[in-house]
Amino acid sequence: MTSFLDNTHDVVGAVLDGVLLSPELVELSTEGGGRVVLRNDWRSDNGQVAVLSGGGAGHEPAHARFVGPGMLTGVIVGEVFASPSVGAIESAIEAVTGTAGCLLVVKNYTGDRLNFGLAAERCRAKGLKVEVVLVGDDVSLEGMQHPRGLAGTVLIHKIAGFYASKGASLASVAERARDSAQRLRTVGLALAPAQMPGQSAPKQQPALGLGIHNEPGAHYTNVTSARDAVQQVVAALKLPREEGNWIVALNDLGGCSPQEREVLAAALVAELGHSAIDLLIGPAVMMSALGMHGFSVTTLPSTPELIEALSAPVNVSAWPAAISPQQPQHRQAPESHDNPIDPDQPRDNAIEATLSNVAKTLIDHTDDLNALDGHSGDADAGSTFAAGANALLKALEQEQLSSGDAALLTAQLARLLERSMGGSSGILLSMLLTAASASLSAGKSLPNALANGIEKVTYYGGAHQGDRTMLDALIPAVALLQQGKSLQQAAHAAHQGAEHTAQMKATAGRAAYVPEDVQKGHMDPGAKAIALIFAALAE
């Protein structure tokens, strides 16, 4: 399968079964080709103009997902890329039309014009008030007598639905919808065409102005970036600058990822200019073409009335947010609350010498640790610890550490390692020292403070002793210090713990995804690094 629709016998029915899960919608039983979805709360005697639309399936969420208060009263859905039958359209008009009348919003395709037009005439002959608005917003093909109806149709749904919900007359709703429809401009660009359910995807190079039923576009093109694609579409729109600002809609034709939509939106606003756009609708899937990998841009000259109509909130699932785009804003982060260096702070030369020895030891063993990491990772553990060690040496050289205050020193070391070491090792060591610093500030001894740090590392890191991590060297060493044993004894315990990891199966961290036989006989590089640190401390 290349699509979840491939083996679906009744594609349209299956899609509408999903749509009709919404309790706000109801299906009208009709005869002939076509399915009708209506507002469940609609009453034809409510004094409001009914607004109907529809056409072939395959353009979801258009049109059924735009049914709701403030937008469409209902839709008539045909087969994939095929107009619904005249009988289904006629039944829908009769079901929703009261004394206020009914407006049909129709995309400018031959089948839709004929079928909706005939249904409208039949209903007029029965005494119903019906008006038709044709939407032909495609401007990619110059000189077309009947430009195609594209995603701009959805904006007409919103405009007509807004004024209908305000109690405007049929003539007024139709006039506002027609005026807006005549001013719409839409151009699309697709990297690949739509794929019909159960059929192989056609091979085609990117096209500008490709139709939503795979009709040929204005021309094939090359696309080098999202910005390039947007520039091509904007150029094809040929916007008359004298018309002032714009309402702009960015429509995903169904195959763009959320990330692509955001990139396209930023490129579009940058291309048109923030000050030229009064309202941005989308980016969102509004009128798709069976997952076509492309997008379309629709523009409408901005007026306060249209901004109000298109910005009004509606409880319709597919209508996207409409915003006034701003220049990207940046706010200065608050000043760091790192513990400052007090020039009068007592310093401890012996501690600084010990830290220097620890750093140099790790640097000297860079290649050894990288080699160990090569058995379970990407052979960079030694380089990671060396980065932290070099940052420590630099801080010592520049007298940036409060070596005379254990609580302050551990907090500074935690921040230094977090910033200088990549991967999880730096974060885990920083977490260990951050928690230890808090415990030291509360009056705990260093061994007990380190034990508290180990608890935090275990909780957040998810690893325990025996999982083949740095904890297998750290935990036994700190446990001996808590018992009052010497640093030499703790260093010996750390070394033994590291050696034991060579026979362990990794059950946590990245090494857990590596086959056990690849790691067998090789120490965990993190545990080895901890053993080296304790050995340097013991000296």
Side-chain angles (χ1 to χ4, degrees):
M1 289 181 67
T2 59
S3 165
F4 292 112
L5 298 178
D6 283 351
N7 296 325
T8 304
H9 175 68
D10 178 11
V11 171
V12 178
V15 171
L16 288 181
D17 284 345
V19 172
L20 289 165
L21 294 174
S22 172
E24 290 81 19
L25 303 177
V26 64
E27 183 173 11
L28 179 70
S29 297
T30 62
E31 296 182 359
R35 305 275 293 268
V36 178
V37 177
L38 303 177
R39 281 176 54 180
N40 202 8
D41 64 345
W42 181 260
R43 299 294 178 267
S44 58
D45 60 357
N46 64 4
Q48 291 184 9
V49 173
V51 182
L52 293 177
S53 189
H59 305 301
E60 289 73 23
H63 304 83
R65 283 293 185 184
F66 295 111
V67 174
M71 284 196 75
L72 295 176
T73 308
V75 296
I76 309 94
V77 185
E79 291 302 312
V80 174
F81 294 170
S83 179
S85 70
V86 175
I89 300 168
E90 187 177 358
S91 296
I93 296 171
E94 291 179 330
V96 301
T97 305
T99 56
C102 177
L103 178 70
L104 302 181
V105 179
V106 182
K107 297 192 299 300
N108 195 20
Y109 291 96
T110 301
D112 287 341
R113 287 201 317 271
L114 293 176
N115 290 12
F116 278 84
L118 179 55
E121 293 304 317
R122 284 181 177 176
C123 289
R124 284 174 183 149
K126 297 175 185 178
L128 298 178
K129 295 164 58 178
V130 182
E131 292 284 346
V132 178
V133 171
L134 290 175
V135 182
D137 52 319
D138 181 14
V139 296
S140 63
L141 301 171
E142 294 185 8
M144 285 193 68
Q145 184 179 0
H146 297 291
R148 301 172 291 198
L150 302 176
T153 310
V154 177
L155 273 62
I156 303 304
H157 295 163
K158 184 68 167 65
I159 293 167
F162 174 79
Y163 286 108
S165 69
K166 298 298 182 183
S169 67
L170 177 59
S172 177
V173 174
E175 179 183 5
R176 292 176 184 273
R178 286 196 189 100
D179 180 69
S180 297
Q182 290 169 2
R183 296 173 180 270
L184 286 171
R185 307 173 76 86
T186 298
V187 171
L189 184 149
L191 299 178
Q195 179 180 349
M196 294 293 287
Q199 299 181 14
S200 300
K203 300 295 184 181
Q204 182 175 297
Q205 71 181 92
L208 182 70
L210 186 69
I212 56 174
H213 309 112
N214 275 348
E215 310 98 316
H219 58 81
Y220 296 119
T221 185
N222 292 315
V223 178
T224 60
S225 66
R227 184 66 184 269
D228 175 47
V230 166
Q231 287 174 339
Q232 292 189 44
V233 168
V234 170
L237 283 167
K238 297 181 179 178
L239 299 178
R241 298 296 181 178
E242 66 274 9
E243 292 199 28
N245 284 10
W246 300 92
I247 294 169
V248 180
L250 178 54
N251 173 59
D252 176 359
L253 288 165
C256 293
S257 68
Q259 294 77 16
E260 287 176 299
R261 290 200 291 267
E262 300 298 352
V263 171
L264 290 167
L268 176 60
V269 174
E271 182 66 20
L272 292 174
H274 292 79
S275 60
I277 304 175
D278 284 342
L279 201 66
L280 175 64
I281 301 167
V285 182
M286 290 176 270
M287 183 170 289
S288 69
L290 283 176
M292 181 182 288
H293 195 178
F295 68 97
S296 64
V297 176
T298 300
T299 62
L300 181 62
S302 177
T303 67
E305 293 77 16
L306 287 174
I307 291 174
E308 180 187 14
L310 291 166
S311 299
V314 287
N315 186 23
V316 176
S317 62
W319 178 251
I323 63 167
S324 178
Q326 64 174 12
Q327 288 279 2
Q329 296 188 28
H330 305 280
R331 182 176 298 172
Q332 187 65 38
E335 290 187 12
S336 174
H337 294 293
D338 289 357
N339 295 312
I341 301 300
D342 184 350
D344 297 326
Q345 174 80 36
R347 296 174 57 198
D348 191 314
N349 292 332
I351 287 180
E352 293 189 15
T354 300
L355 291 175
S356 178
N357 188 42
V358 168
K360 292 174 181 178
T361 299
L362 290 172
I363 293 169
D364 289 342
H365 287 81
T366 299
D367 293 340
D368 297 337
L369 294 174
N370 281 340
L372 284 175
D373 193 34
H375 296 287
S376 59
D378 48 9
D380 66 349
S383 301
T384 298
F385 279 96
N390 280 308
L392 174 56
L393 289 177
K394 183 177 179 180
L396 289 169
E397 180 184 346
Q398 297 178 355
E399 299 182 351
Q400 293 179 338
L401 297 177
S402 301
S403 55
D405 185 318
L408 194 52
L409 175 61
T410 48
Q412 291 167 346
L413 290 174
R415 182 70 69 175
L416 181 146
L417 295 180
E418 179 233 324
R419 290 174 173 172
S420 61
M421 292 177 64
S424 58
S425 298
I427 298 298
L428 291 170
L429 290 176
S430 179
M431 188 177 295
L432 173 78
L433 294 172
T434 298
S437 175
S439 296
L440 287 169
S441 297
K444 288 189 177 182
S445 67
L446 180 58
N448 288 333
L450 290 173
N452 185 55
I454 290 172
E455 290 180 7
K456 298 298 183 183
V457 169
T458 300
Y459 177 76
Y460 289 106
H464 299 80
Q465 189 173 5
D467 288 340
R468 198 179 188 274
T469 69
M470 67 171 66
L471 291 176
D472 290 301
L474 185 61
I475 289 175
V478 172
L480 287 182
L481 292 178
Q482 284 183 290
Q483 298 170 21
K485 304 298 183 181
S486 68
L487 264 174
Q488 286 75 14
Q489 291 172 301
H492 180 69
H495 176 72
Q496 285 187 318
E499 285 193 327
H500 288 160
T501 61
Q503 307 306 319
M504 292 180 182
K505 175 179 171 55
T507 56
R510 185 175 54 193
Y513 304 105
V514 178
E516 184 178 0
D517 59 343
V518 175
Q519 305 171 39
K520 201 75 170 179
H522 305 287
M523 282 186 283
D524 175 73
K528 175 64 175 178
I530 295 298
L532 290 171
I533 290 171
F534 271 92
L537 290 172
E539 291 180 7

